[in-house]
Every structure is written in structure tokens, then in C-alpha cells.
Amino acid sequence: MAGPAAAQKPEAPQRPSGYPRSYDTLIADARADGKVRIYANADRAEMVPVVAEFKRLFPGIAVYYADIGSTEMYQRYTRETRSRQYSADIVWSSAMDQQIKLINDGYAQQYASPEKPALPETAVWKNMGYGVTAEPIGFVYNRRIISDAQAPRTHQALEELLRRRRVEFTGKVATFDAARSNTGYLYLSQDFLATRDTRSLVEAIGATRPVLEISTQPMLAGVASGKLAIAYNVIGSYALEQARRSPQLGVVFPKDYTLVTSRIAFIGRDARHPAAAKLFLDFLLSRAGQAQLARHSLWPVRTDVPARRLPTQQTRVVRVGPQLLVNLDHLTRQRFLREWNAALVTGREQKP
């Protein structure tokens, strides 16, 4: 007689539509792996339904998801890999320049995802680094302190607002600490590439004696509570999610230009579960995975998935590629941080 239903093996997952027949072997190998280990800095709570959908489509594969800050992730992954310790199968971070450096330094393995043809050209590098999201960077403000009519809609308007209300906003403006946050360093360096006027804006921010943070969430919480009036260069997708719960939070994507960045994922060179890693990466890049991201706070990189998007002429897309390595040159970084600090100090020394 047949054994009890509980003893039956789960039904084999189906190959995604349009994938080659050889993908059946990858699915079988992934099930043999049995697990995938991911280091990422996408908020864990937002990833729960994404992981749940992957496990529904591919039962029998456990997902270990570690929510780690970008700097700690970089240090931990390189340390573990060099010492041949058990580490991540997938590394997925918003610190685009660090991800490109890891790839360039040989920490990733090549994988031509079947989803690659559906991705923008700017989102893939060397069949190793895959931009999974397209996230705008913007401003947030407290609508009880700054009315919607007064909210700055461009970088110039932000500077003018900060100079006009400098005394009132002293201690009530926040932005990333470029010296301690690699994500913040990336955003600010891209602003300086976009326009020389960024220095003048940083001086205006410095004049308010700003609160410098290493992540977006404290800035959002501070503005929502009224402790802060405004925050500059926050991750817009997180800001919109917070604004759903906090109606006093206003979100602006500047009309002169809005940076659009991506969380880059790659499969580790020494991944212990390479097949499961490929399967999970393909899911993130698939229409199903991208649709899951779109339902939460991560804007998808694919344009064939329904989601909110900014007008093309408004966006300045940060391309996934080797040009980001310039940011991590030691002398370049030191010079940039000196200029940033000098602008902050100049701003503080200006008379009201």
C-alpha cells in the first residue's frame, strides 16, 4: 500500500515559460543544493513576501536572508571569502560602486541569466553584475513644517529654501554621512558629476548644522515625527512606503534631475549553493519576481512590469559598470571627502 500523504515528495517545480529545456537540470541541481544564502541590504520586512513567492514556486529550497548594511556586508563577505569560510551565495547591495569593485576583483562568477534579454542595457555588466531595481533618490519633508506649496521641486529650490529658512532649520536637516555610508557617498558623488552647483547646495546644508546618518530609515523617521524638517538624498521607494503610513511625510523627486540607482546582485565566486543562487537570481529578474518587488518598496528594473515610473527626461540613471570604480580609488575618495567636508564647514561659517 502507498504510504501516508505526508510522506509523499513535493511535486517538482515547473520550468518557467520560455526557458530552455536544459533549465530543468538547473532546477534539479538547485533542489539538491537545498538552500541559498543571501547577503543584502533591502529591508528584510519588504523581502518576506518576495521570498515566500520564490519558495511557493520552488518548494524544498530554504532561503537564508541576512539584512546587512552595505559597509558591513562588503567587509564580511570579503573576509569570509578570503579565509574560505562559509559565506553568501548571492551578494545584493545598493552600494553600486562596492559591488562593481567586488566583481572586478574576482569575487563573482559569470552567469548568463535567461532573463537578461528583458533587462535594460544599463542594468547588466559582464554577465556578473545584475541591477535588480531602479530606485529614484529624492527629498522628504514634513508637511506640517513645510507646506506642499513651499516644498522644493528642484535642487536649486532646495538650496534657496535652506538659505531662506536657515535659522529655523538649524539641526532639522538630514542627509547621508558620505564618510561613513558608502551608499551616501555614491549618491553625493553622482550629484557632483551631475552639476557643479552641488557644492553650493552642500554649503547650504552645512549652514543648518545637519544631522548626518548612515541609512535612510532614521531620516524618514525623523522627518515623519517632526524632529527633522527635511532630508536630502533618501531612497525614494522607501520614502513612498513610509508616506503611506505617515501622511505628514511629503516626497519629492526633483524635476531638474532625479538619480535612479540600482541594487546590484551577483553570485559569489565560491558559492556553496550555485544552482540555487542562479535560480533565485533568475526569479528576482523574472516578471514574477519583479512584480513582487513592485508591490512593495523596491521599484523594478524591468519596464514590462506595471509599476510607478518617472518621466525618462527627468531621470539620471546610474549605469551598472566599471565607471563606478573611479569612486573607490583611494586618492579620489580622500579628495572628494575633503571637498565635501570643506563645503560643510564653509556653510557652517557663513553668517545668517
Side-chain angles (χ1 to χ4, degrees):
M1 294 180 61
Q8 294 179 359
K9 292 183 180 180
E11 185 178 342
Q14 292 186 342
R15 174 185 358 122
S17 176
Y19 279 34
R21 284 180 295 174
S22 59
Y23 202 78
D24 291 337
T25 301
L26 178 65
I27 295 175
D29 289 345
R31 299 186 80 190
D33 281 347
K35 66 177 70 172
V36 59
R37 184 180 177 96
I38 303 165
Y39 289 174
N41 64 347
D43 187 72
R44 185 183 182 89
E46 301 299 329
M47 285 300 295
V48 167
V50 179
V51 170
E53 178 65 8
F54 171 78
K55 293 174 74 173
R56 185 188 71 80
L57 293 173
F58 302 103
I61 302 174
V63 178
Y64 174 83
Y65 186 90
D67 185 354
I68 310 173
S70 60
T71 300
E72 181 188 351
M73 188 191 315
Y74 179 90
Q75 294 171 345
R76 178 173 167 181
Y77 177 70
T78 53
R79 182 179 65 251
E80 291 172 344
T81 302
R82 287 169 183 165
S83 59
R84 299 188 180 279
Q85 297 179 48
Y86 179 40
S87 191
D89 300 307
I90 292 177
V91 182
W92 185 27
S93 173
S94 58
M96 298 178 70
D97 43 9
Q98 282 189 331
Q99 291 292 87
I100 294 299
K101 177 172 172 53
L102 287 171
I103 294 169
N104 194 63
D105 289 351
Y107 284 94
Q109 61 175 269
Q110 281 198 340
Y111 175 58
S113 170
E115 298 292 348
K116 179 181 174 181
L119 305 177
E121 183 184 353
T122 56
V124 184
W125 186 51
K126 296 173 65 172
N127 283 347
M128 291 185 180
Y130 287 87
V132 177
T133 60
E135 299 178 65
I137 309 304
F139 318 146
V140 294
Y141 62 97
N142 186 293
R143 300 170 74 182
R144 295 170 182 160
I145 301 173
I146 302 171
S147 70
D148 291 341
Q150 296 172 325
R153 305 295 169 181
T154 65
H155 290 81
Q156 180 181 346
L158 172 61
E159 179 184 342
E160 292 170 352
L161 174 69
L162 296 180
R163 293 191 184 282
R164 188 169 62 250
R165 299 174 67 174
R166 171 183 173 180
V167 174
E168 178 188 353
F169 286 171
T170 296
K172 296 178 73 69
V173 177
T175 190
F176 275 103
D177 185 342
R180 294 188 299 141
S181 166
N182 284 291
T183 299
Y185 173 75
L186 170 68
Y187 298 165
L188 193 61
S189 64
Q190 291 296 317
D191 281 330
F192 272 86
L193 285 175
T195 172
R196 295 178 181 178
D197 294 336
T198 297
R199 181 183 174 94
S200 183
L201 172 57
V202 172
E203 289 178 0
I205 293 172
T208 68
R209 301 185 179 275
V211 176
L212 301 179
E213 297 286 2
I214 61 172
S215 66
T216 290
Q217 291 301 340
M219 292 190 271
L220 294 179
V223 174
S225 69
K227 183 178 179 180
L228 299 172
I230 195 164
Y232 167 63
N233 268 4
V234 299
I235 299 174
S237 48
Y238 284 171
L240 290 172
E241 193 73 14
Q242 178 71 33
R244 293 179 188 175
R245 302 186 293 269
S246 306
Q248 69 273 23
L249 194 72
V251 183
V252 171
F253 296 120
K255 292 182 178 180
D256 51 336
Y257 74 89
T258 295
L259 294 177
V260 175
T261 63
S262 188
R263 294 173 192 269
I264 300 176
F266 66 79
I267 299 170
R269 178 191 68 201
D270 301 327
R272 300 262 184 106
H273 312 101
K278 292 171 183 176
L279 196 67
F280 192 85
L281 177 60
D282 289 338
F283 169 73
L284 284 179
L285 299 174
S286 70
R287 292 194 69 177
Q290 293 274 291
Q292 281 292 329
L293 295 176
R295 292 188 186 103
H296 299 90
S297 66
L298 300 175
W299 289 21
V301 71
R302 289 179 62 142
T303 58
D304 59 350
V305 173
R308 177 175 177 178
R309 291 183 178 84
L310 299 177
T312 303
Q313 64 272 19
Q314 183 179 341
T315 60
R316 182 182 173 91
V317 177
V318 182
R319 188 185 184 98
V320 177
Q323 75 284 349
L324 291 167
L325 292 173
V326 175
N327 285 352
L328 296 179
D329 175 76
H330 181 66
L331 293 178
T332 300
R333 183 182 178 90
Q334 282 190 323
R335 184 167 56 249
F336 179 85
L337 290 177
R338 279 199 302 270
E339 182 176 358
W340 174 68
N341 277 309
L344 288 178
V345 170
T346 299
R348 285 198 297 268
E349 292 176 348
Q350 293 174 358
K351 294 182 179 181

